[in-house]
Amino acid sequence: MQVRNINEINISEKRVLIRCDLNVPIKNGVIQSDARILASLPTIELALQKKAKVIVMSHLGRPKNESYEKQYSLFPIFEYLKKKINYTKVYFASDYSKVIPINSGELLILENVRFNPGELKNDNILSKRYSTLCDIFVMDAFGTAHRKQASTYGIGKFVKIACAGPLLISEITMLKKALKNPKRPMVSIIGGSKVSTKFNVLNNLANISDIVIVGGGIANTFLAIDYDVGKSLHEPQFISKAKKLRDNYNNIIVPIDSRVGKNFSESEKSIIKLPSNIKKNEEIMDFGDNTITKVVKIIEKAKTILWNGPVGVFEFPNFRKGTEKIAQAIANNSNFSVAGGGDTLSVIDMFRIKNEISYISTGGGAFLEFIEGKKLPAIDMLEKNFFNNN
């Protein structure tokens, strides 16, 4: 990966536009998790300390029709950053065409890029307009590095200098550490609802991991190869593909027992059952105790751990145990661990194990595509900009 690094460039007095990933959950104007903001903060502060004129852009949620919706405004994030960065002036711009000039060492937060027509389609006119805001563009949003959009990719065609920020470089470095020549045994834990979106990930991980543990709806589709899984979340149309994957590798671990219920409800009581005993009106919502014991023993021996996704409906107390015990086992393992994905971040927050994970990725889709072995569009853009303007 041959790209410019912000640390190698003189940014003093320059207009520096940083594409961050500030896509955080906000409820009634209140930020529910500030993990991604905190991950972006060092890059913003680095640029401020170097006396750059710092402008920050990000997306938030999925507004319809590329137009303003209050629930997706970055204004609450601006207010949060104004309190965090209280040693300089922090401004907010709701209109990209009326961006106020700022002084060196000051910060300007731009409104949600997804309110701008053309953002999602990587529109050239919008990309060029973004480029006029800055002297230097910094791509630091690993969470959107897999998106070919105007603020993550298109802008790179029009700015003279595009470089990678510390967070993006750190993400790539840590994921490579987990995937290239990992210390063994390497254990991968992949949860989530859909196996259809993760076949390439599973195939790649089964190839490089010593053991792959599957949970959630993904595990249910594997169980459906041999058993009737009742009304459990699974994808019947992908059972044969799951069977091929399982038959190709002997290191994919599926649950040997499960916690089941009759209703998808927070108050539903859990019953532990073998997969062969699940009834038509029951659904699997978590690992059973024997599966938990087996999986925890595997994690305890791991030298490299890659974790993406909960293994059950962790939001419901009666179906939380599998995810909780796995999270604790990963936290208790002092070897190298990498965790990523939106729900994974929620689990880490819930069980307060943030400081026990070696590296927490801010990426969801980008995290998975990197694991698949795909080249991320943002990295491609940075490489092209390096070669074209060097």
Side-chain angles (χ1 to χ4, degrees), residues 16 98 273 322:
V16 175
K98 298 174 185 174
K273 286 196 165 189

Side-chain angles (χ1 to χ4, degrees), residues 188 190 195 197-209 212 214 218 222 241-242 244-249 251-252 368 371-373:
S188 297
I190 303 294
V195 72
T197 60
K198 293 185 178 177
F199 272 118
N200 292 337
V201 171
L202 287 168
N203 194 71
N204 203 31
L205 286 178
N207 196 34
I208 63 174
S209 305
V212 177
V214 292
I218 293 172
F222 277 95
K241 198 169 179 180
K244 278 183 187 175
L245 188 62
R246 185 197 67 178
D247 292 348
N248 284 342
Y249 298 98
N251 59 346
I252 298 175
L368 292 173
I371 294 168
E372 270 186 53

Side-chain angles (χ1 to χ4, degrees), residues 19 21 23 57-69 72 74 96 110-121 126 130 143-152:
R19 176 49 160 105
D21 181 9
N23 183 32
M57 68 196 315
S58 176
H59 78 287
L60 178 66
R62 297 174 184 271
K64 294 174 184 175
N65 305 319
E66 294 182 313
S67 58
Y68 178 82
E69 288 182 55
Y72 297 122
L74 257 68
Y96 278 57
L110 301 178
E111 183 56 285
N112 190 345
V113 293
R114 289 189 177 170
F115 292 164
N116 301 326
E119 166 63 22
L120 300 179
K121 292 180 180 176
L126 180 62
Y130 287 154
T144 58
H146 63 309
R147 305 283 189 199
K148 215 170 186 179
Q149 295 173 354
S151 68
T152 61

Side-chain angles (χ1 to χ4, degrees), residues 291-355:
T291 304
I292 292 169
T293 301
K294 180 181 178 180
V295 165
V296 166
K297 283 179 181 175
I298 290 168
I299 293 169
E300 285 172 349
K301 294 174 184 174
K303 291 287 196 307
T304 302
I305 301 167
L306 191 145
W307 175 28
N308 172 254
V311 297
V313 188
F314 71 98
E315 298 91 342
F316 297 169
N318 294 333
F319 299 95
R320 183 176 294 163
K321 190 175 180 181
T323 300
E324 182 176 10
K325 293 297 181 185
I326 283 172
Q328 287 171 347
I330 295 168
N332 292 338
N333 186 311
S334 59
N335 293 302
F336 185 66
S337 54
V338 175
D343 284 340
T344 317
L345 300 183
S346 299
V347 171
I348 288 166
D349 283 345
M350 178 180 279
F351 302 124
R352 298 178 182 178
I353 58 169
K354 181 181 177 181
N355 296 329

